Amino acid sequence: MTQAPATPRAVRRRHDREIVALAVPAFGALVAEPLFVMADSAIVGHLGTAQLAGLGVASALLMTAVGVFVFLAYATTSAVARRVGAGDLRAAIRQGMDGIWLALLIGASVIAVTLPTAPALVKLFGASDTAAPYAITYLRISALGVPAMLVVLAATGVLRGLQNTKTPLYVAVAGFVANAALNAGLVYGAGLGIAGSAWGTVIAQFGMAAVYLYVVVRGARKHGASLRPDLDGIRACAQTGAPLLVRTLSLRAILMIATAVAARLGDAEMAAHQIILSLWSLLAFALDAIAIAGQAIIGRYLGANDAGGAREACRRMVQWGVAVGIVLGLLLAFSRPLFLPLFTDDSVVRDAALPALLLVAVVQPVSGIVFVLDGVLMGAGDGPYLARAMILTLAVFAPVALLVPRLGGGLTVLWAAMSLMMTVRMLTLWLRSRSGRWIITGATR
């Protein structure tokens, strides 16, 4: 007796359960990450202004370095998910190990570059004479933790590809608690000052990496996957990640240009821009959680040769992105006069931020589509297209943004340019998703 085909409503419910099961823990893990920096800032801030300024410079450098290599998580997720869909867990974990070995190699290279160049890097970022020594100390110690941070990225990608986002959540929460306790104990209890904060973070990062490695190694032994480095596999991971690296660098260039333009508009506009950018990034976590679910789900469907399932999942996730974007936009639009006083008492800064925040609120549904389709195409391994699309977006955004000060535009005009940037991204991603060219089935792309 043949089973009746699932109704559209049943299919939607199945996709909804998958999305929620993956996205909710992913959101928790994403929110936990910036809490590391917040905890460090709160503890170091009581040491003095110079120490806090030094921490700010060093953290910006570290977060830039780690953010550039986020492809270790993205590329690994899609590659592992494909093999999971194909039913080959041994190859899936072997693929994940290649990503982890690549993370270790990159991390070692970052240490080799950062230790001797720390003073020059701190100076390049404009640290004052009083803050520079603290920034150099923090940067040199924290750089030792970069391999662990990158291993965490790659191993997170492995678990996401295995459709497991709960373990990364547990590890992120435990890491945050350990980081805060170690920082407080080493900074004040041991009297190590800002160096204690750096060492506390490094220890917490290696602890997180150790937990991830234990989980992955246990899975490798269970399924008979080799733990040894495979040069061909590592090279393949690097080649897969290269387009995503280009995408990430282009996106970072957009954000840097926006910040540089805001700085030219004046101190009040720059302060308002920083507030808006912080809120924009916070809203992005909710949307990025759906994108992470998209990477894992789409990769699995394509690996299982289920092109129809991939299309349906893509369609449903876009609906989720739009719905979440609308909710976030409404919350931001109606609450913006209430939470701005939490950031600043300066009425000039608040007046500059209010209309720009309204633009951000209006564009949230567009952002929802962008994040979801970004995740879908990453899950499909469509990195080369994502790189080309982001370069095109940068080419459109840069001249428009740079014209804002020359034409006498203010912060609202700058964020109108940011809205244009998100619209261009949406169009490029939507056209690709409609074409179906991203749908390439099989255990490998």
Side-chain angles (χ1 to χ4, degrees):
M1 182 176 179
T2 59
Q3 187 176 3
T7 64
R9 186 176 182 180
V11 171
R12 287 196 300 270
R13 284 182 175 177
R14 185 179 74 246
H15 289 315
D16 290 345
R17 287 194 296 270
E18 288 182 330
I19 293 167
V20 170
L22 292 172
V24 172
F27 174 71
L30 288 169
V31 171
E33 290 174 8
L35 292 179
F36 271 76
V37 178
M38 290 178 62
D40 289 0
S41 299
I43 293 170
V44 172
H46 292 286
L47 294 174
T49 301
Q51 289 90 331
L52 184 58
L55 172 67
V57 171
S59 294
L61 284 163
L62 287 167
M63 291 303 101
T64 298
V66 174
V68 163
F69 298 116
V70 73
F71 71 83
L72 288 167
Y74 294 160
T76 304
T77 297
S78 61
V80 171
R82 274 184 175 269
R83 286 162 175 78
V84 169
D88 192 347
L89 290 178
R90 179 179 179 180
I93 296 176
R94 174 65 261 180
Q95 179 76 36
M97 286 304 306
D98 292 336
I100 290 173
W101 281 112
L102 177 61
L104 287 170
L105 290 174
I106 294 174
S109 301
V110 171
I111 292 176
V113 171
T114 303
L115 292 183
T117 62
L121 291 171
V122 167
K123 183 178 180 180
L124 180 65
F125 265 60
S128 66
D129 292 339
T130 54
Y134 298 110
I136 293 169
T137 297
Y138 191 92
L139 181 59
R140 280 179 165 160
I141 296 172
S142 295
L144 301 176
V146 169
M149 296 171 73
L150 297 184
V151 165
V152 167
L153 280 179
T156 299
V158 176
L159 295 183
R160 288 173 181 171
L162 294 170
Q163 318 295 297
N164 177 1
T165 56
K166 289 183 179 179
T167 299
L169 171 61
Y170 300 148
V171 175
V173 172
F176 166 72
V177 173
N179 178 68
L182 286 166
N183 271 251
L186 294 175
V187 171
Y188 297 112
L192 296 180
I194 195 170
S197 176
W199 281 117
T201 301
V202 168
I203 294 170
Q205 288 162 348
F206 271 99
M208 292 170 66
V211 173
Y212 274 117
L213 288 175
Y214 170 77
V215 173
V216 174
V217 168
R218 186 179 62 179
R221 289 175 174 171
K222 178 180 178 181
H223 297 286
S226 173
L227 299 175
R228 295 180 180 179
D230 176 18
L231 292 181
D232 290 336
I234 295 172
R235 189 181 301 112
C237 284
Q239 290 172 346
T240 301
L244 296 179
L245 176 61
V246 173
R247 167 203 169 273
T248 301
L249 289 173
S250 300
L251 179 57
R252 295 231 165 228
I254 288 171
L255 298 177
M256 289 175 64
I257 290 170
T259 299
V261 170
R264 293 185 182 184
L265 298 176
D267 289 346
E269 286 78 4
M270 180 59 205
H273 175 76
Q274 185 59 36
I275 293 171
I276 297 168
L277 195 60
S278 299
L279 291 168
W280 188 70
S281 300
L282 180 62
L283 296 176
F285 286 135
L287 299 173
D288 203 22
I290 306 174
I292 287 170
Q295 294 173 34
I297 293 171
I298 294 298
R300 192 189 73 231
Y301 273 115
L302 294 178
N305 295 309
D306 188 353
R311 288 193 186 91
E312 287 296 327
C314 174
R315 187 178 298 110
R316 189 57 177 164
M317 280 184 284
V318 168
Q319 292 170 354
W320 269 80
V322 172
V324 173
I326 290 172
V327 172
L328 293 177
L330 290 173
L331 288 173
L332 182 60
F334 288 108
S335 63
R336 71 191 200 284
L338 301 177
F339 61 69
L340 274 176
L342 299 176
F343 290 91
T344 179
D345 296 324
D346 192 330
S347 60
V348 177
V349 175
R350 292 202 299 266
D351 290 344
L354 275 171
L357 275 174
L358 184 58
L359 263 179
V360 174
V362 170
V363 178
Q364 282 307 296
V366 172
S367 299
I369 296 173
V370 168
F371 275 85
V372 167
L373 291 181
D374 210 35
V376 166
L377 296 184
M378 282 184 191
D382 204 12
Y385 180 82
L386 289 172
R388 294 193 299 270
M390 191 60 77
I391 291 173
L392 173 62
T393 303
L394 173 60
V396 172
F397 171 78
V400 174
L402 293 174
L403 282 174
V404 171
R406 294 187 180 183
L407 298 178
L411 190 65
T412 302
V413 179
L414 173 59
W415 275 92
M418 290 287 284
S419 300
L420 171 65
M421 178 270 293
M422 293 302 292
T423 302
V424 172
R425 287 187 69 189
M426 181 189 71
L427 290 173
T428 57
L429 297 174
W430 180 78
L431 288 172
R432 184 65 167 183
S433 68
R434 292 282 294 177
S435 73
R437 294 178 183 175
W438 55 278
I439 300 177
I440 299 176
T441 59
T444 58
R445 183 176 170 86

